[in-house]
Amino acid sequence: MADSSISDPRPEEALPSTLLPMLSTFLGVIRRTAGIENLEATLPALEKKALSNPSTLTDPERQLLLDFPDGATEASYLQRSTDLSQDALISEASSTPASLTDAEITLLRQRF
């Protein structure tokens, strides 16, 4: 059991140490479009911004926070995997998931 009288030397804006191992599972890290150090430094402030004033998030900030690829990469993956638009693919997945191809399922699992 941890001693609650020991203060955490990390700044208030740091990610909890229990979340640090999870950063390696971010698709941005796996795809090598985001580094763990960048995520560790950026995510606390983005989370705070998203919770306090979500409408001020830029598209790149939203993509980083949600672990989505940038728009061009997403469009490229979508074009290679399906003839459907993103909205149509999501609609198809929610209404008739059995009709999805393996490539479409993979695309959805990898969050585009």
Side-chain angles (χ1 to χ4, degrees), residues 21-44:
M22 293 174 51
L23 292 181
S24 65
T25 66
F26 266 59
L27 289 174
V29 172
I30 294 168
R31 292 177 179 138
R32 298 175 196 244
T33 58
I36 290 177
E37 297 79 16
N38 181 46
L39 290 172
E40 185 178 357
T42 309
L43 287 178

Side-chain angles (χ1 to χ4, degrees), residues 13 83 97 99:
E13 292 292 313
D83 293 329
S99 68

Side-chain angles (χ1 to χ4, degrees), residues 52-95:
S52 66
N53 199 355
S55 64
T56 63
L57 286 173
T58 64
D59 284 340
E61 289 172 333
R62 190 175 297 104
Q63 291 159 347
L64 182 64
L65 187 62
L66 297 174
D67 192 26
F68 283 3
D70 63 77
T73 302
E74 187 174 288
S76 172
Y77 291 156
L78 189 64
Q79 185 179 23
R80 285 188 291 183
S81 302
T82 184
D83 293 329
L84 301 173
S85 69
Q86 183 179 17
D87 289 341
L89 179 60
I90 292 170
S91 178
E92 187 78 16
S94 62
S95 62

